[in-house]
Each structure stands twice: as C-alpha cells, then as structure tokens.
C-alpha cells in the first residue's frame, strides 16, 4: 500500500487500499463495489419490471431492445443475473430511468471515441 501526502497540509492518505480495519472496536471494513450491495427480492423484482417496461416502450416506438439487454443491464446494477422474475412491466421511476439514460450516454460516448479513433 502506498501513501500520498497533501502538498498544502502534509496529510498522508493511503493509495490502493482495499481493506480497512477499526482497532478500537475490532471491526473490519471491506471496500465493496456499488453493484454488490444487498437488496431485497422485491426491489430486484421492481427493477426487472421497470426494465421490461422500458423494453416494451422501445418496441412501441420501433426501436426494440432484446431480453439480453435487459439481463445485462440488471447484472450491471446488481452484480448477478436475473432469476425467476415476473416479466410484468411496471412504469419507470426516476432512478431507473436515470440509470438507463446514463448507460445509453456512456455507450454513445464509447462509440464516438471509437469512431474518432478510426478516423485519426
């Protein structure tokens, strides 16, 4: 583990730390990726239903997306594949809509970068 220091005050902070321990309580903190946090089965079903709603919406405007896209998007969020969920669509919430839009923007930016790289 390396250390860096602040040029202004000299405070040293760790770089590349993956585990932290609290000595006074004997507890241990472990760095967790965002996709690994625990959710209830109901929350996961809610997300899956909203992804299916988005799939139906895209189909209705003539730009369909596959079941695989829904599964991969779910996996990006929760870190596991969707299993045995009801496919009944449920209207999008702001949170899920933002997640989808963010994913789409990232994909578009990646494609633009690859296109610019080919032209150069």
């Amino acid at each position: 583990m390396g250390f860096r220091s602040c040029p202004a005050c000299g405070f040293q902070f760790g770089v590349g730390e993956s585990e932290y321990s609290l000595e006074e309580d004997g507890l241990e903190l472990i760095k967790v990726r965002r996709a690994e946090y625990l959710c209830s089965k109901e929350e996961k079903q809610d997300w899956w239903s909203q992804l299916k709603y988005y799939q139906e919406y895209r189909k209705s405007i003539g730009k369909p997306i596959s079941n695989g896209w829904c599964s991969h998007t779910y996996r990006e969020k929760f870190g596991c594949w969707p299993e045995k969920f009801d496919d009944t669509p449920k209207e999008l919430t702001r949170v899920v809509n933002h997640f989808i839009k963010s994913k789409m923007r990232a994909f578009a930016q990646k494609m633009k970068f690859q296109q610019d790289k080919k032209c150069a």
Side-chain angles (χ1 to χ4, degrees):
M1 166 178 72
F3 284 92
R4 288 191 179 174
S5 60
C6 173
C9 69
F11 176 78
Q12 290 191 343
F13 53 94
V15 177
E17 299 173 358
S18 61
E19 295 186 9
Y20 304 93
S21 61
L22 299 174
E23 295 176 14
E24 63 266 0
D25 290 342
L27 300 176
E28 187 175 316
L29 297 176
I30 300 172
K31 205 178 222 182
V32 179
R33 290 187 1 230
R34 184 182 353 193
E36 294 176 344
Y37 70 93
L38 298 175
C39 296
S40 68
K41 182 97 171 154
E42 292 79 24
E43 185 177 356
K44 289 180 177 185
Q45 172 64 59
D46 191 49
W47 267 76
W48 180 250
S49 295
Q50 291 179 58
L51 290 173
K52 297 307 272 184
Y53 177 87
Y54 183 73
Q55 183 183 33
E56 290 295 319
Y57 164 73
R58 290 286 301 246
K59 185 178 175 183
S60 72
I61 63 169
K63 297 180 178 182
I65 55 174
S66 68
N67 287 329
W69 182 91
C70 293
S71 296
H72 281 273
T73 302
Y74 178 91
R75 186 171 187 228
E76 284 177 33
K77 173 66 178 168
F78 295 105
C80 61
W81 295 104
E83 294 182 20
K84 301 177 185 172
F85 287 126
D86 182 24
D87 287 344
T88 305
K90 181 179 177 185
E91 193 165 347
L92 285 174
T93 60
R94 232 175 63 202
V95 173
V96 177
N97 191 34
H98 177 73
F99 186 85
I100 292 170
K101 297 292 183 195
S102 176
K103 177 183 167 99
M104 296 296 206
R105 278 192 299 271
F107 178 75
Q109 191 172 28
K110 178 182 174 185
M111 298 313 292
K112 183 180 184 300
F113 175 75
Q114 289 179 350
Q115 185 65 28
D116 291 346
K117 194 175 179 182
K118 286 181 184 179
C119 292

